[in-house]
Amino acid sequence: MTAAVIFDLFGTLLEIRDRQNPYRRLLRLGSQQGRVASTDDIRWIMTHDHGIEGTAAEFGIKLSSSQLAELQSCLELELESITLFEDALPALALLRHHQIKIGVCSNLGGPYCSVARNLLPGLDGYALSAEVGLMKPDVAMYQHICTQLEVAPSQLPGSNAPHVLMIGDSRRCDADGPRVAGIEGYHLDRSGAGRFCDLLEFVTGINTSRG
C-alpha cells in the first residue's frame, strides 16, 4: 500500500506564468563585469536562502540602485505569476481522502519557498533546497523528505517497508534520482508524450493499483 507521495514543485504542482529569470540576469551582469561564471553558481543560489542583493554580494557583483530595483521588480513579477496547475489541488485532495501522506521535494531559490508554502499549506513535509541546503538528485535530499514524512522506503524484493512514490517533470531528479533512496520515481510529461501527463491520472492510478 502507498504510504506517501512526494511531488516536485515547478512544472508539476506549480507553474510560473511570467518568467523573468532574475537570477540569470544577475549572473549576466556579473559576466559583463568580468566575473567568470561557475557551474556551481546555480547550485549555490538553489541551496542558500538569499535574495537578489545577498546573492550579488556573495558573488561580488556590483549593482547600481537602478539595476537592483530592476532585478527586484523582475523577481516580484515572477513570484506573483506563480500559480497552481488545475489538477494539483484535486490530486492532493484525493490523496488526503485515502490518508496518504503528501510531501514536496524541490530545487528552488530562497524567495520562492514562501510562495510555494503559501500556495500549498498544510502538507506533511517540505524539502525545499534553499531551506535545507541540499539539491536533487543528492540522495540526502530524498532522505530528508522521507524523514519529515516519517517513512523509510525500500524497493527491495519482499521488503515490508512503506511504499513511497515521487513524481515530477525531471527524469533525472524525480524519476531516476529517488530510486537510490528506495522511492519509486515517475516522470510527469505534461506534453502528453509520456506515461503520465497529469496528476489526477497518476493519483487515480495509484489508488486503483495499490489501494
Side-chain angles (χ1 to χ4, degrees):
M1 181 174 179
T2 300
V5 176
I6 303 165
F7 293 89
D8 170 53
L9 283 177
F10 292 103
T12 304
L13 290 172
L14 304 176
E15 64 176 327
I16 298 174
R17 294 190 171 181
D18 186 6
R19 287 196 174 274
Q20 297 287 320
N21 300 311
Y23 286 93
R24 292 190 184 277
R25 293 189 187 200
L26 174 64
L27 293 177
R28 282 199 295 270
L29 285 173
S31 295
Q32 292 168 11
Q33 294 175 14
R35 177 183 180 272
V36 179
S38 167
T39 54
D40 291 331
D41 287 348
I42 297 300
R43 182 178 182 87
W44 191 93
I45 291 169
M46 293 288 188
T47 56
H48 290 78
D49 193 1
H50 282 55
I52 294 293
E53 190 170 12
T55 302
E58 175 66 26
F59 289 172
I61 301 173
K62 297 179 181 179
L63 297 177
S64 66
S65 57
S66 60
Q67 287 173 325
L68 176 59
E70 181 180 359
L71 290 174
Q72 293 283 23
S73 177
C74 289
L75 176 60
E76 289 169 9
L77 285 172
E78 188 161 288
L79 294 176
E80 289 170 1
S81 78
I82 296 172
T83 187
L84 290 155
F85 281 105
E86 289 184 2
D87 56 350
L89 292 183
L92 299 183
L94 187 55
L95 290 175
R96 287 194 178 99
H97 176 73
H98 288 273
Q99 298 182 330
I100 296 173
K101 292 181 178 181
I102 302 168
V104 291
C105 182
S106 186
N107 295 338
L108 71 171
Y112 299 79
C113 295
S114 60
V115 176
R117 285 179 175 274
N118 288 338
L119 287 171
L120 294 162
L123 302 185
D124 300 298
Y126 299 83
L128 309 180
S129 64
E131 293 180 350
V132 302
L134 299 166
M135 271 185 77
K136 300 181 296 184
D138 296 347
V139 66
M141 185 68 158
Y142 308 113
Q143 292 168 339
H144 183 87
I145 185 62
C146 287
T147 297
Q148 288 197 11
L149 296 173
E150 299 181 332
V151 293
S154 174
Q155 290 184 298
L156 294 175
S159 171
N160 292 321
H163 201 81
V164 180
L165 283 65
M166 180 167 182
I167 188 167
D169 66 330
S170 166
R171 288 188 184 278
R172 178 171 178 257
C173 292
D174 306 317
D176 299 333
R179 292 171 188 157
V180 180
I183 300 167
E184 189 172 329
Y186 291 90
H187 180 233
L188 177 69
D189 188 339
R190 289 191 175 276
S191 71
R195 178 181 175 187
F196 294 110
C197 62
D198 68 71
L199 295 177
L200 269 177
E201 177 188 19
F202 172 72
V203 170
T204 301
I206 292 170
N207 292 321
T208 299
S209 62
R210 302 193 182 277

